[in-house]
Amino acid sequence: MSTTPPVLAAELAQAWADIQRYHPELPDLAAPESLIGESSSACGAELSFERLLHEAVHGIAAARGVRDTSRAGRYHNRRFLAIAEELGLDHAEEPHPSSGFSLVTLNPEAKRRYRPTTERLQRALKAHTVATAADTKRSFRGPAARHGSSGGGVRVKAVCDCGRNVRVVPSVLAQAPIVCGGCGKPFQIPEAAVAVR
């Protein structure tokens, strides 16, 4: 099995498509490679299928126009929790004081439903980890590795020709174009945002 970043990104995209099969309103994943090596104190530092399902909750919330977080995205509210439960995620009864309901786990039904997906993604992640640990000079280690443990750097808004936007670390966008699923054009960082940096 190849352990190059595009292969891991393809596995992440396939896992996302598996989630979309059960939840068709989930938007396409614009840049699966942006999840590789990312860390987030609110969402958990380790990339896993649970983390991917957590991100899918945010995707569905965005598609529905639901504000599922506050405190700059750190606190996950009860609207987040309601969608998380729809996707097969459980949480302790009481929210965490600073991150709310962000720490979610797969319920037994979701574990059964997504077992093949979870196993496939775990194999790809394990192979990727082995490859990046063995070759630190040439391997892609993700944005968090390049920017320290701060969570991958500051995300900025990138827009496409049809007006859709994504938040992305500029260095991730510089690696390869991120293409809009709506219009097929690449997302670009507006000139004003570049000038401010």
Side-chain angles (χ1 to χ4, degrees), residues 9 85 132 172:
E85 289 172 349
T132 56
V172 171

Side-chain angles (χ1 to χ4, degrees), residues 9-186:
E11 291 292 348
L12 288 165
Q14 181 57 54
W16 192 264
D18 292 349
I19 300 167
Q20 285 177 312
R21 213 177 7 220
Y22 294 99
H23 304 280
E25 70 183 303
L26 177 62
D28 291 340
L29 183 58
E33 62 276 7
S34 69
L35 294 171
I36 302 169
E38 284 286 331
S39 66
S40 166
S41 59
C43 303
E46 185 178 328
L47 182 56
S48 65
F49 184 72
E50 274 180 353
R51 167 81 189 282
L52 197 63
L53 209 51
H54 175 121
E55 296 301 330
V57 173
H58 292 303
I60 289 176
R64 293 178 181 174
V66 172
R67 188 167 177 223
D68 64 340
T69 63
S70 60
R71 300 180 196 165
R74 290 185 306 275
Y75 191 86
H76 293 60
N77 59 35
R78 291 193 183 276
R79 291 180 293 273
F80 171 86
L81 181 58
I83 298 170
E85 289 172 349
E86 289 178 40
L87 270 69
L89 293 168
D90 285 336
H91 188 279
E93 271 190 50
E94 293 301 315
H96 185 276
S98 62
S99 62
F101 295 100
S102 69
L103 300 175
V104 289
T105 57
L106 285 168
N107 69 26
E109 181 185 337
K111 283 182 183 177
R112 282 189 300 277
R113 175 186 299 157
Y114 293 113
R115 178 170 284 124
T117 303
T118 303
E119 290 172 355
R120 190 180 65 239
L121 185 57
Q122 282 305 106
R123 282 192 303 272
L125 287 166
K126 183 177 180 183
H128 178 76
T129 300
V130 167
T132 56
D135 183 6
T136 57
K137 290 181 183 174
R138 298 186 49 186
S139 295
F140 176 81
R141 296 185 322 233
R146 287 193 310 281
H147 298 286
S149 61
S150 65
V154 177
R155 289 180 178 82
V156 297
K157 182 169 34 174
V159 295
C160 66
D161 284 353
C162 70
R164 295 177 71 205
N165 67 72
V166 295
R167 293 267 176 201
V168 63
V169 177
S171 62
V172 171
L173 191 60
Q175 292 172 14
I178 298 172
V179 179
C180 174
C183 68
K185 303 287 182 171

